[in-house]
Amino acid sequence: MKLLFIFTPVGAFGSGIGGGVELTVQNIAKELIRRSHTVHLAASVGSTSTEIPTISILGELHSFAQDQYRTDPVSFPDNSVLANLWEYALQVQHSYDLIVNFAYDWLPFYLTPFFQTPIAHFVSMGSLLNNMDRLVHKVSQTHKGTIGVYSKAQAYTFGEAVDFRILSSGIDLDLYEFQPSSQSQLAWVARIAPEKGLEDAAAVSEALQIPIQVMGKMQDRAYWQRIQAEYPQAQLNYLGFLPTVKLQELLGECQSLLMTPKWEEAFGNVAIEALACGVPVIGYARGGIIEIIRHQETGFLVEPDNIESLCDSVKLVPKLHRASCRRQAEREFSLSALGDRFETWFQSIIG
Ligand code: UDP
């Protein structure tokens, strides 16, 4: 297959600003290229990849859907990179069998019937905007089987009637080393942004007086500073946005990973990265996390927003077997399993 991947217009590929979908794009492309398919990636200028041939497109970045109100109208910055990406796709469409949209944006859905080359849409977020929902529903009816999501919980946020492919996620397990033992510290790995709920991890650190290694893109500095002020006794050790090789090394040294999202997490790639290192995950029973963690086996699912339950689970984590975590990652989230799911999906759309 000849595939053109179109990345999100919120930031450059490789910058971390796109969140987990960046890792997903990287891993799908890597596995499909290994299977002798052609994959090209069109992304905003500044994008870098050692593995995927990348076409840089100029233009202004878009704001995050999660920072908008549900009823906001569709808006575009002047010289929008999203518009430029899709103008490029329109020009080169006949060189590809399939175009794959990785942006949670109105324009690619709107354009779908006007393209001659089929478009697959991989939606990496739960429902956030009414104007998106309307188009997602429409395209799911007119172009059946062309919309993919990470998890059932994510699909459910769009309502029951929508026909989605549930594709889960996967990682290159060779890049993640199993660490059989840990130090007395926890990990919290995500973009530093309100929807990720870092304040609840800070509350746990303060209550149990345990250090937390914080890794991730500093998306909202004011939010970070507010947490510092509100939880002065919390031991949050911010390490920055780390490359996978370093991320897995430091994550592997932790007793568990805390996942405390305030939104319906579509999936949570960091959960499978933790499992691959042998690190159990303590997460809110909210969104895609529910479909990853095996309660009391590879982590704990706790009542959302309940700090006491988080603290209780932290105390119980030493009873879990770290080897079970690695085994689950190997069984369910390998690169080849991911490749099988996406290859089959793409082939079904190309027909
Ligand atoms: N990540 C990273 N380095 C860091 C922290 C995070 O590369 O220091 C990556 C991590 O591997 C994951 C992504 O950032 O792929 C976060 O994705 P997730 O699906 O957990 O959440 P999202 O940001 O998409 O909501």
Side-chain angles (χ1 to χ4, degrees):
M1 293 181 285
K2 285 186 164 178
L3 306 164
L4 176 63
F5 286 9
I6 312 267
F7 195 54
T8 163
V10 298
F13 186 82
S15 69
I17 206 76
V21 73
E22 230 178 275
L23 188 73
T24 303
V25 168
Q26 166 86 12
N27 287 332
I28 302 166
K30 187 173 176 176
E31 181 61 12
L32 293 182
I33 290 169
R34 195 188 68 74
R35 296 178 186 201
S36 304
H37 299 293
T38 298
V39 180
H40 294 158
L41 173 70
S44 72
V45 79
S47 296
T48 51
S49 171
T50 47
E51 284 164 286
I52 322 170
T54 304
I55 302 110
S56 283
I57 303 289
L58 286 164
E60 291 301 316
L61 298 177
H62 279 232
S63 55
F64 295 91
Q66 60 266 36
D67 293 342
Q68 296 169 32
Y69 291 105
R70 182 165 268 288
T71 50
D72 276 358
V74 178
S75 71
F76 285 78
D78 182 27
N79 189 26
S80 147
V81 72
L82 180 68
N84 297 346
L85 280 163
W86 285 90
E87 200 170 312
Y88 173 76
L90 190 65
Q91 282 162 14
V92 299
Q93 60 173 319
H94 297 298
S95 309
Y96 296 94
D97 300 314
L98 183 71
I99 298 168
V100 189
N101 165 38
F102 286 95
Y104 179 84
D105 274 294
W106 182 87
L107 185 67
F109 283 88
Y110 179 76
L111 288 176
T112 301
F114 302 105
F115 270 68
Q116 273 124 37
T117 299
I119 300 175
H121 301 272
F122 183 71
V123 178
S124 63
M125 285 191 268
S127 157
L128 291 172
L129 305 171
N130 288 350
N131 57 50
M132 273 295 292
D133 281 18
R134 182 178 297 280
L135 271 180
V136 165
H137 281 93
K138 190 171 169 195
V139 172
S140 86
Q141 292 306 314
T142 56
H143 295 72
K144 289 200 183 300
T146 64
I147 304 179
V149 291
Y150 278 120
S151 65
K152 285 187 218 151
Q154 179 198 356
Y156 194 69
T157 65
F158 289 88
E160 279 174 36
V162 189
D163 161 42
F164 288 128
R165 272 288 179 116
I166 312 292
L167 294 153
S168 187
S169 191
I171 50 176
D172 184 349
L173 291 159
D174 291 347
L175 301 179
Y176 299 81
E177 198 183 333
F178 171 63
Q179 295 202 36
S181 59
S182 66
Q183 295 175 21
S184 179
Q185 61 189 21
L186 308 176
W188 188 92
V189 186
R191 288 173 289 108
I192 316 293
E195 66 271 16
K196 293 294 186 176
L198 177 58
E199 60 275 28
D200 290 5
V204 170
S205 172
E206 203 166 75
L208 300 179
Q209 276 305 296
I210 187 165
I212 303 191
Q213 305 288 58
V214 177
M215 299 165 240
K217 189 87 184 164
M218 183 60 74
Q219 189 179 313
D220 188 336
R221 193 167 289 279
Y223 168 67
W224 167 254
Q225 283 162 350
R226 259 193 331 271
I227 293 171
Q228 306 275 304
E230 278 169 32
Y231 299 92
Q233 306 303 322
Q235 300 169 43
L236 300 181
N237 184 19
Y238 179 58
L239 303 165
F241 180 76
L242 305 173
T244 300
V245 61
K246 196 70 197 163
L247 171 88
Q248 64 85 34
E249 185 191 320
L250 298 175
L251 180 55
E253 290 170 355
C254 296
Q255 262 175 16
S256 63
L257 170 76
L258 294 184
M259 292 187 75
T260 50
K262 297 288 166 182
W263 69 347
E264 290 277 329
E265 191 77 41
F267 186 75
N269 269 325
V270 295
I272 62 175
E273 295 182 275
L275 295 178
C277 301
V279 177
V281 183
I282 300 172
Y284 285 154
R286 175 177 271 157
I289 298 171
I290 301 171
E291 288 157 56
I292 305 173
I293 301 172
R294 301 244 171 104
H295 185 59
Q296 296 180 336
E297 190 190 331
T298 60
F300 293 97
L301 285 168
V302 308
E303 185 195 339
D305 311 317
N306 187 330
I307 307 296
E308 220 177 291
S309 300
L310 279 176
C311 291
D312 292 345
S313 299
V314 169
K315 290 180 204 150
L316 290 173
V317 143
K319 292 191 191 304
L320 303 181
H321 299 293
R322 291 171 72 94
S324 306
C325 299
R326 174 75 191 189
R327 269 201 302 276
Q328 188 193 351
E330 285 172 357
R331 266 196 313 264
E332 297 172 28
F333 305 113
S334 69
L335 214 48
S336 67
L338 177 79
D340 287 349
R341 292 191 293 268
F342 275 83
E343 193 176 46
T344 310
W345 180 45
F346 292 160
Q347 279 165 345
S348 73
I349 298 172
I350 295 168

